[in-house]
Amino acid sequence: MSDGRRLQVLRAIVQDYVATSEPVGSKALLDRHQLGVSAATVRNDMAALEEEGLICAPHTSAGRIPTDAGYRLFVDQLSEVKPLSAPERAAIAEFLAGSVDLDDIVDRTVRLLASLTHQVAVMQYPSLTRSSVRHIELVPIGGPRLMVVLIVTTGRVEQRVVDVGRDLGDADGERLAFDLRGRLNALAAGRPFTEVARALAGLSEGFAVADREAVEAVTTALAELVVEEREERVVIAGTSNLARRSGDFPTSLRPVLEALEEHVVLLSLIDAMHDDPARPAMDASDLVSVRIGSELSHAGLVSTSVVSTGYGAGPDLVAGLGVLGPTRMDYPTTMAAVRAVAAYVSRSLGG
């Protein structure tokens, strides 16, 4: 049996099983696909694929279904991820274009992914540890109180009210706020969070003695904002889609649902790919990770697959998103949807 024909038969079995959820027999393959060989040849090919562990017979069925290894070979042999249609791309762009802030982008993204793929969508909020400063704003709010607003390249906005120890309502106070805002942005804008605290160290020494207490109060607040540890956040949508595919889970949905309730598990599902130091330098939307069944480390997810990617501006990924569903998944379409949505999210945040 040639490798080319073996892959053709495997591809046909995967496609038919994904479409029908029924084990696939040799007669069905000949009826549905132009294989150009006899029934006996197809049966021999299927026997060889079964011997290699790429397909198996469920129970006493005469048909065959793909194994995790079969799905893996099928995905690895995809020459390219088919692009979404023009109407699909336009719908994604229009839906995400209506977002008003980061929370809205995340909410719209998971709902859109769940709708496009009919799977569970998972999205991680942009990580502050992978973020850079876009702008710092200082807003006097009465008396000695100043609101320090930190705007991040990922769209996140952090703020803190600081008592600077002096009234900022007079001309000197306004001058100080204006001058400090300019110097802060000159030092911090465009820098990753890991460098900001160091860049601001000693800034107060460049101000008049009377102003130094106020400057130190602001720089201390900013340093706390950029180094403060935060729990990573993830959002999911489309869990009900699993119920519609309950027949694809051999025992019950309970282990999958329990795994989805664990915050750490959700993060690990989408973190593995974009945290890989060996990841080649390319746009976030150009690399899609697929982990199938037993490749997932969590025991409750052995009957599922995860398709994920990172998002961000160019090679600077700030977080991940993806979908989880049964291993009987339309991988090419799902990969295309995840890649396209990540690209649009990256553009939204980069704007």
Side-chain angles (χ1 to χ4, degrees), residues 175-349:
R175 172 198 53 77
L176 173 60
F178 179 83
D179 188 18
L180 179 55
R181 181 189 301 113
R183 295 201 205 184
L184 287 172
N185 281 293
L187 287 171
R191 286 182 179 268
F193 274 24
T194 51
E195 298 178 6
V196 171
R198 186 169 61 253
L200 297 181
L203 177 63
S204 63
E205 295 175 8
F207 286 80
V209 174
D211 295 333
R212 289 178 184 175
E213 180 183 353
V215 173
E216 288 176 1
V218 172
T219 55
T220 297
L222 280 169
E224 290 173 352
L225 281 174
V226 298
V227 302
E228 188 177 69
E229 296 222 358
R230 285 176 170 76
E231 179 186 28
E232 298 286 2
R233 294 174 59 192
V234 290
V235 177
I236 68 173
T239 306
S240 60
N241 287 327
L242 292 177
R244 300 186 183 98
R245 304 284 299 275
S246 58
D248 287 314
F249 300 94
T251 53
S252 75
L253 273 174
R254 183 174 178 178
V256 179
L257 296 175
E258 288 177 346
L260 289 176
E261 290 178 355
E262 296 184 33
H263 194 89
V264 174
V265 172
L266 289 175
L267 283 171
S268 69
L269 292 180
I270 55 179
D271 259 347
M273 188 277 295
H274 70 270
D275 275 344
D276 183 358
R279 180 183 64 85
M282 57 176 65
D283 282 354
S285 60
D286 285 336
L287 187 63
V288 177
S289 170
V290 180
R291 280 162 288 163
I292 300 168
S294 56
E295 296 171 358
L296 296 167
S297 57
H298 196 285
L301 299 176
V302 293
S303 58
T304 69
S305 291
V306 172
V307 178
S308 63
T309 190
Y311 66 87
D316 300 323
L317 305 187
V318 295
L321 59 82
V323 299
L324 176 145
T327 54
R328 188 179 70 85
M329 178 188 294
D330 183 349
Y331 290 97
T333 299
T334 302
M335 293 166 69
V338 168
R339 187 175 69 172
V341 170
Y344 281 103
V345 171
S346 296
R347 289 176 205 157
S348 297
L349 296 179

Side-chain angles (χ1 to χ4, degrees), residues 98-134:
S99 304
V100 297
D101 56 23
L102 180 62
D103 290 334
D104 195 25
I105 288 176
V106 173
D107 179 67
R108 286 171 178 256
T109 298
V110 290
R111 288 190 288 119
L112 176 64
L113 260 182
S115 175
L116 286 173
T117 64
H118 307 293
Q119 314 288 2
V120 178
V122 184
M123 183 174 181
Q124 179 185 19
Y125 264 79
S127 170
L128 290 177
T129 60
R130 302 187 190 97
S131 302
S132 299
V133 173
R134 175 173 289 175

